[in-house]
């Protein structure tokens, strides 16, 4: 008899474990996992040290989050999106966006409900849905433009649809959904009375002329949307695992009911620090975008020189590249070849797909360009080996 509960029996070990091991073995440049190889801005680190040492922040924080961080989240939504959020009733602080997504699904979806998911997807959505005893319903994004077919989206809605998860800017495709795409999603969610769980962890990581629109700002959407974000990407502090959910009090209260028994409260001094960071002036945000715009260019230069093709990412620090012109084989075979022969780690997209649609990702691998400029320049030199 297996000791594992059925609920988790199908969950494999993440692809990142194998890729990170191989990366070490071959001393490969690791563009696999989406974690920066550079540090959190020192101004923000200094704040953390300050809050650790002031002596009042080393015990449990309030379960829904510190008043300072909840207010900072509300102020940020007002500053960038003109949204009015109640800092006390409309925000819950979580252990990263990962917990925010799980608590949202547990708090807002019943067993037997269906949850619509676009794919390729961030890999925690589907296990979360399964752990809630609900059923994922997949809507694929098609290359080369990584858009959905409106008829397929319409057909995905049923009487059992309870929620839809959207991620924009989108990992792994680098898409930022257009106003028209968001409009159709919104219209269908209103028509079918469906709750939206909007994962916006890359909300500031988009490249002009494209801009990010939270789906909660569309008419009739605020009251049916919980919006999720995280400090990890925005402040290059993925190890801190501070995220949050904001939205209308009734939905946020449901998320909070789940959250209180998952983590209860999040690391206290870090919350105070993120409150400070969210309140940084607009220049922080524009410099952050400029930094990633330059890294995106270095990444694209490297791929161009190697003959890999891709859709220019509009957002995030990911890019899906097609290798069909330079290699014949599965994404896994290509990723292993890349590590052993080229010395660069990329991620095969299998874990971002259901079995049903895994064929769509054939010929593609994901690169994460949240890395130092020096590393991205070395990647260009190494990728030249692909052609020899
Ligand atoms: C789309 C998406 N959502 C959520 C997360 C997780 O965020 P956190 O580290 O805050 O849990 C990630 C991290 O890569 C992500 O890409």
């Amino acid at each position: 008899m297996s000791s594992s509960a059925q609920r988790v029996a199908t969950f494999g070990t993440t692809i990142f474990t194998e890729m990170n091991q191989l990366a070490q073995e071959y001393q490969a440049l690791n563009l696999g996992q989406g974690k920066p190889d550079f540090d959190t801005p020192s101004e923000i680190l200094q704040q953390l040290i300050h809050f650790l040492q002031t002596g009042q922040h080393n015990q449990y924080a309030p379960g829904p989050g510190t008043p300072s961080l909840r207010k900072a989240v509300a102020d940020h939504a007002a500053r960038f999106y003109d949204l009015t959020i109640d800092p006390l009733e409309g925000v819950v602080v979580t252990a990263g966006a990962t917990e925010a997504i799980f608590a949202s699904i547990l708090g807002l979806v019943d067993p037997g409900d269906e949850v619509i998911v676009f794919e390729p997807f961030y890999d925690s959505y589907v296990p979360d849905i399964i752990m809630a005893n609900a059923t994922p319903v997949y809507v694929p994004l098609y290359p080369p433009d990584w858009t959905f077919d409106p008829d397929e989206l319409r057909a995905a809605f049923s009487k059992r649809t309870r929620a839809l998860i959207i991620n924009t800017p989108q990992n792994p495709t680098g898409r930022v959904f257009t106003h028209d795409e968001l409009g159709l999603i919104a219209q269908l969610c209103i028509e079918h009375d469906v709750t939206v769980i909007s994962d916006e962890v890359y909300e500031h990581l988009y490249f002009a002329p494209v801009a990010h629109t939270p789906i909660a700002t569309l008419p009739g959407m605020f009251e049916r949307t919980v919006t999720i974000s995280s400090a990890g990407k925005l402040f290059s502090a993925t190890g801190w695992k501070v995220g949050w959910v904001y939205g209308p009090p009734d939905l946020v209260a449901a998320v909070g009911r789940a959250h209180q028994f998952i983590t209860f409260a999040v690391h206290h001094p870090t919350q105070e620090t993120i409150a400070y960071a969210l309140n940084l002036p607009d220049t922080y945000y524009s410099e952050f975008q400029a930094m990633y715009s330059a890294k995106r260019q270095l990444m694209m230069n490297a791929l161009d020189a190697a003959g890999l093709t891709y859709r220019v990412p509009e957002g995030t620090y990911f890019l899906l590249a097609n290798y069909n012109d330079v290699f014949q084989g599965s994404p896994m075979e290509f990723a292993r070849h890349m590590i052993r022969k080229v010395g660069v780690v990329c991620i095969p997209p299998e874990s971002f797909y259901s079995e049903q649609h895994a064929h769509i990702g054939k010929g593609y691998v994901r690169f994460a360009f949240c890395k130092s400029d020096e590393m991205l320049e070395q990647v260009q030199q190494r990728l030249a080996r692909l052609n020899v």
Side-chain angles (χ1 to χ4, degrees):
M1 204 182 89
S2 159
S3 56
S4 145
Q6 275 183 18
R7 184 182 301 116
V8 297
T10 58
F11 303 167
T13 313
T14 80
I15 183 74
F16 299 106
T17 312
E18 177 185 347
M19 290 298 151
N20 288 340
Q21 276 166 4
L22 276 177
Q24 276 198 339
E25 195 181 321
Y26 288 88
Q27 304 214 324
L29 302 173
N30 198 340
L31 305 196
Q33 209 167 355
K35 58 176 184 184
D37 68 345
F38 45 91
D39 212 352
T40 314
S42 69
E43 179 187 0
I44 298 175
L45 291 176
Q46 290 309 315
Q47 290 293 319
L48 180 57
I49 293 165
H50 163 75
F51 285 118
L52 278 165
Q53 289 179 335
T54 52
Q56 292 155 25
H57 304 294
N58 292 318
Q59 310 305 332
Y60 288 132
T66 62
S68 61
L69 181 51
R70 283 185 282 159
K71 180 168 184 320
V73 168
D75 290 348
H76 172 276
R79 169 159 53 140
F80 288 100
Y81 310 124
D82 212 12
L83 283 170
T84 306
I85 309 294
D86 179 341
L88 293 181
E89 309 268 308
V91 183
V92 167
V93 177
T94 55
T98 308
E99 194 228 334
I101 297 158
F102 188 46
S104 297
I105 293 172
L106 284 186
L108 297 167
V109 173
D110 276 313
D113 287 345
E114 291 177 354
V115 181
I116 296 176
V117 183
F118 293 99
E119 59 181 335
F121 42 67
Y122 176 60
D123 61 357
S124 78
Y125 299 160
V126 173
D128 287 355
I129 294 167
I130 290 170
M131 286 191 281
N133 290 328
T135 306
V137 174
Y138 302 105
V139 176
L141 302 172
Y142 291 105
D145 286 335
W146 303 110
T147 50
F148 56 83
D149 173 343
D151 289 335
E152 284 186 357
L153 178 61
R154 237 175 243 116
F157 284 81
S158 81
K159 283 202 176 65
R160 293 201 296 154
T161 310
R162 183 69 171 271
L164 174 147
I165 303 180
I166 178 176
N167 169 219
T168 186
Q170 214 252 5
N171 171 12
T173 62
R175 276 299 318 282
V176 175
F177 283 113
T178 62
H179 217 266
D180 282 353
E181 287 169 318
L182 293 177
L184 179 62
I185 297 167
Q187 180 200 321
L188 290 167
C189 287
I190 292 169
E191 199 177 305
H192 294 269
D193 194 19
V194 163
T195 301
V196 173
I197 299 170
S198 186
D199 177 350
E200 300 181 17
V201 297
Y202 301 102
E203 61 183 316
H204 286 286
L205 235 171
Y206 57 85
F207 307 109
V210 165
H212 165 62
T213 306
I215 197 165
T217 61
L218 269 61
M221 289 306 290
F222 182 75
E223 50 271 41
R224 61 177 61 256
T225 303
V226 287
T227 303
I228 291 168
S229 193
S230 161
K233 320 290 167 178
L234 183 53
F235 302 116
S236 308
T238 57
W240 290 6
K241 295 297 291 183
V242 175
W244 51 86
V245 179
Y246 70 76
D250 56 337
L251 298 185
V252 170
V255 179
R257 263 178 241 135
H259 160 78
Q260 68 186 327
F261 297 119
I262 301 174
T263 52
F264 169 55
V266 172
H267 193 265
H268 196 159
T270 313
Q271 290 192 61
E272 298 293 351
T273 309
I274 300 301
Y276 164 86
L278 275 176
N279 286 322
L280 284 169
D282 291 357
T283 46
Y284 174 80
Y285 295 87
S286 53
E287 282 164 16
F288 175 75
Q289 286 177 346
M291 172 181 80
Y292 273 110
S293 191
K295 292 187 187 304
R296 178 183 66 156
Q297 191 57 56
L298 289 173
M299 183 77 245
M300 295 194 298
N301 294 348
L303 297 173
D304 291 345
L308 297 177
T309 57
Y310 52 86
R311 184 186 201 275
V312 175
E314 296 153 340
T316 76
Y317 45 54
F318 298 108
L319 181 153
L320 276 182
N322 185 297
Y323 59 79
N324 281 336
D325 291 344
V326 295
F327 183 87
Q328 298 308 313
S330 70
M332 194 53 153
E333 285 161 355
F334 180 69
R336 291 199 179 114
H337 174 79
M338 282 280 285
I339 296 178
R340 294 188 181 126
K341 296 282 180 321
V342 179
V344 173
V345 180
C346 55
I347 296 292
E350 279 93 338
S351 57
F352 311 139
Y353 279 103
S354 64
E355 261 180 49
Q356 188 187 342
H357 293 121
H359 60 278
I360 298 173
K362 269 196 94 179
Y364 288 90
V365 286
R366 190 190 76 175
F367 291 89
F369 54 86
C370 45
K371 308 296 168 179
S372 68
D373 293 357
E374 295 69 33
M375 185 193 280
L376 294 169
E377 277 153 12
Q378 277 180 42
V379 165
Q380 176 163 352
Q381 289 165 15
R382 290 199 184 184
L383 276 177
R385 296 179 197 166
L386 253 180
N387 298 323
V388 289

